[in-house]
Amino acid sequence: DTEVTQTPKHLVMGMTNKKSLKCEQHMGHRAMYWYKQKAKKPPELMFVYSYEKLSINESVPSRFSPECPNSSLLNLHLHALQPEDSALYLCASSQNREAFFGQGTRLTVV
Amino acid sequence: AQSVSQHNHHVILSEAASLELGCNYSYGGTVNLFWYVQYPGQHLQLLLKYFSGDPLVKGIKGFEAEFIKSKFSFNLRKPSVQWSDTAEYFCAVRGIGYGQNFVFGPGTRLSVLP
């Protein structure tokens, strides 16, 4: 199984809503990532978890809150987002070498 | 700090033309190198990767890339493109070591005309 599964695939939320994005992998990878990708732009790193501990936070606003409850799961909690936060949110996992990316959650903030 | 540059923002080719997309990186150490493709509306897919050994690597769909260490380059090539190759192509680097993040280039949009 070389899949990274993200849910939901699409999400529309209001600026006062609280929602969560979920990411799951069963490859035994101990590094997991959240990226944000705007249209026609490269993915931008948001967070890196290594052995379930947050190791990199790329100065992401506090309205984005990551969580790694165990080695297979990665969540991104969203609260009070802005319309400019609308983007494709990608999760990835790696074990020292290549990364496997999920299909992403396309988020629209209205 | 790591950085990746890609030579072209948008490349337009006719079917059967040859393709070369340039990628250069800056990093103070050993890296792994990757090319990802993103078809319209789809997720990132790995085209090919270089870890060590033969600097000419072959990937899926007839793509290949050459790592030239002295030039810090990892250019992507395909002898004959097809309309279905229309996509965004991202070069990426990753430092060696656990938890290192992937740094992506700005991307090159390839449009293949039928």
Side-chain angles (χ1 to χ4, degrees):
Chain A
D1 181 5
T2 58
E3 274 196 6
V4 175
T5 305
Q6 289 187 242
T7 55
K9 289 189 169 36
H10 299 274
L11 178 62
V12 179
M13 61 184 290
M15 289 189 282
T16 57
N17 292 159
K18 285 186 183 181
K19 297 284 185 185
S20 296
L21 309 185
K22 296 187 184 304
C23 174
E24 190 168 3
Q25 57 89 13
H26 296 287
M27 295 177 277
H29 293 172
R30 302 309 294 269
M32 295 185 76
Y33 308 76
W34 279 115
Y35 283 86
K36 174 182 177 180
Q37 187 180 24
K38 300 284 261 183
K40 302 192 190 305
K41 297 290 186 185
E44 294 177 5
L45 182 68
M46 299 175 73
F47 304 103
V48 181
Y49 272 83
S50 181
Y51 288 91
E52 295 103 72
K53 288 191 171 20
L54 184 64
S55 61
I56 296 178
N57 176 343
E58 290 289 331
S59 303
V60 179
S62 60
R63 57 187 184 267
F64 295 91
S65 175
E67 178 197 20
C68 189
N70 60 55
S71 60
S72 299
L73 292 174
L74 185 66
N75 299 323
L76 186 63
H77 302 298
L78 314 172
H79 174 54
L81 295 193
Q82 303 297 310
E84 60 264 28
D85 297 321
S86 299
L88 181 68
Y89 288 84
L90 295 165
C91 174
S93 71
S94 76
Q95 184 75 2
N96 220 23
R97 291 211 163 183
E98 68 185 274
F100 293 84
F101 283 85
Q103 298 218 359
T105 294
R106 192 162 296 281
L107 174 68
T108 303
V109 181
V110 297
Chain B
Q2 303 167 10
S3 67
V4 181
S5 62
Q6 292 182 235
H7 301 179
N8 308 97
H9 177 63
H10 189 192
V11 172
I12 303 172
L13 295 172
S14 298
E15 274 194 312
S18 64
L19 170 71
E20 180 158 2
L21 301 183
C23 171
N24 286 89
Y25 68 93
S26 170
Y27 185 72
T30 306
V31 295
N32 297 148
L33 296 155
F34 308 86
W35 275 97
Y36 285 89
V37 62
Q38 192 169 32
Y39 298 102
Q42 296 196 24
H43 64 292
L44 286 169
Q45 298 176 39
L46 181 67
L47 267 183
L48 45 76
K49 60 199 177 198
Y50 174 79
F51 295 153
S52 64
D54 188 344
L56 185 62
V57 292
K58 295 193 183 301
I60 61 172
K61 306 187 184 197
F63 286 91
E64 65 178 31
E66 185 175 13
F67 171 52
I68 303 180
K69 189 175 181 180
S70 60
K71 295 185 178 180
F72 298 91
S73 70
F74 189 55
N75 293 351
L76 181 70
R77 298 195 290 250
K78 186 171 184 178
S80 176
V81 295
Q82 300 173 314
W83 177 79
S84 57
D85 294 323
T86 295
E88 193 85 20
Y89 291 81
F90 295 101
C91 181
V93 301
R94 181 176 184 266
I96 303 293
Y98 212 84
Q100 292 284 321
N101 58 302
F102 291 77
V103 177
F104 287 84
T108 296
R109 182 152 57 104
L110 173 64
S111 298
V112 180
L113 306 177

